Amino acid sequence: MTTLAGSSKIRKYHLALIGVALLLILMSLVRIIAGTDDITSSGLIGAALLFSVPIGLAGLGGLWAERAGVVNIGLEGMMVLGTWFAGWAGYQWGPVAALCAGLIAGALGGLLHAIATVTFGVDHIISGVAINLLGPGVTRFLSEVLYKEGSPANQAGAGITTSPPVSGEVWEPSLWPLSSGPDWLGSLEKTHWFLLSDVAGILRGLTHEVNVLVILAVLMLPLTFFVLWRTAFGLRLRSAGENPWAAESLGVNVVRIKYLAVVISGAFAGMGGVFLVFVSDKYVEGQSQGRGFIGLAAMIFGNWRPGGLATGAGLFGYADALQLRSQGAVTSFLLFGAILLLIYLIVRARRMLTNGQSAREYTMMAAAAAGLVVLLWLWLTVDKLPNEFVFITPHVLTLLVLLVASQRLRMPKADGVIYRRGDQH
């Protein structure tokens, strides 16, 4: 049985590699047909990596909480708390203080959520919404008190909606060793050869001038996987999210586990807020821009697992970078979507010839065919998309991805269930 399980994992790993290879070939094909070199450029990939990090950190926060059975839609409010306190502490004492203050502020937001949901049994959604309202309200109040006109912070450059710049160096890309030396990947990227230049651009974007903070944030993914799936603590935490009453009968302190998980969840969201402050060098009101919610969507897309979460965060980060950097690249993805729908129709048609199809399958194929025609027509006729449509691209992608991912989701069984110690379920 062990051998069969191992071979199954190997097959999944190989299928994932094949899927990545096919995706690269498809993107290279779209780049050449549409003439938009930016879709696999190192600049776009580097920007996508930066956009993915706060989304991924917020998603990790949701993962920790929901694996313990606590739904945390308050990630956005916790991230907002992290941004404000990082900006406030950073301008006074530097980047290390900003990181600590953001983590603590996010953790306190998580603690508030844990008190409401675990101790008092408040509905998890209601508590999360309250924190999302409380975060911006508290930070605006603190800004009006501490950043008002004539205050020391105001004289240092603060306003009601911004903090003074963080003191000290917070963004030093040269700390990543692959950023130094001959730029072979950059030279290969400029050749615009089929597939080779695309692979070079992607690798260069992931390795060239990458900040140490990005590396540390990315390392949180394997660390989370190790803690939750390879340690006794992680087993107890996941058991609290699957069946807390069974875990309690085995001696697990479910309440303590849930508190720890939700506080860590808030700290991750706060860390995402710190990252946003470090990128812009100061706190700006509204700079989270819904990334807490998108991080939650990335976690759901990833089926409550770190690997899938990383994929979802990368996808949303790429969409975010795409709409900011290149109008033409967004238009070229109409062709990309049309090709994907064509592949879907071919696969479905082959299955129909061998197994037959239900009426529902015919309806899905008809909808896919209509979508293919519409996307291809738009790509052929539209030179420039309206700015409003380009701006909402990441959010539209969020909805579409969740719609597709909902077919295969499996959340923890006790996620969102009110738990009372000693109760029988």
Side-chain angles (χ1 to χ4, degrees), residues 124-178:
H124 298 191
I125 303 299
I126 294 175
S127 175
V129 170
I131 291 174
N132 286 333
L133 296 174
L134 186 65
V138 167
T139 54
R140 184 57 184 262
F141 170 76
L142 291 173
S143 293
E144 291 180 352
V145 172
L146 299 177
Y147 296 161
K148 62 184 178 182
E149 188 173 352
S151 65
N154 179 256
Q155 294 173 2
I160 296 300
T161 59
T162 62
S163 71
V166 177
S167 60
E169 182 63 53
V170 300
W171 202 252
E172 183 51 60
S174 62
L175 292 174
W176 182 227
L178 294 181

Side-chain angles (χ1 to χ4, degrees), residues 204-346:
R204 187 174 185 270
L206 295 176
T207 58
H208 187 69
E209 295 186 349
V210 177
N211 181 263
V212 66
L213 297 172
V214 176
I215 302 169
L216 291 175
V218 171
L219 289 176
M220 293 296 103
L221 288 162
L223 179 62
T224 292
F225 174 79
F226 175 79
V227 172
L228 293 186
W229 274 269
R230 292 292 184 268
T231 66
F233 170 76
L235 179 61
R236 296 188 187 100
L237 187 146
R238 288 186 292 118
S239 69
E242 294 291 339
N243 192 329
W245 297 274
E248 179 189 18
S249 69
L250 295 175
V252 176
N253 190 330
V254 175
V255 171
R256 183 175 64 186
I257 288 286
K258 286 179 179 287
Y259 261 87
L260 282 172
V262 181
V263 169
I264 292 172
S265 170
F268 270 120
M271 186 177 178
V274 174
F275 187 86
L276 293 173
V277 170
F278 283 175
V279 170
S280 61
D281 201 35
K282 61 182 178 179
Y283 159 77
V284 180
E285 186 176 80
Q287 67 191 140
S288 62
Q289 295 183 336
R291 288 185 175 90
F293 297 114
I294 298 178
L296 192 65
M299 178 209 67
I300 296 172
F301 167 79
N303 215 5
W304 289 265
R305 296 185 69 90
L309 163 62
T311 303
L315 179 64
F316 296 132
Y318 183 83
D320 227 350
L322 195 68
Q323 59 97 4
L324 286 178
R325 285 182 58 90
S326 177
Q327 165 75 252
V330 174
T331 307
S332 70
F333 265 74
L334 296 172
L335 175 61
F336 184 82
I339 294 175
L340 286 179
L341 287 176
L342 178 61
I343 294 172
Y344 171 81
L345 286 172
I346 293 172

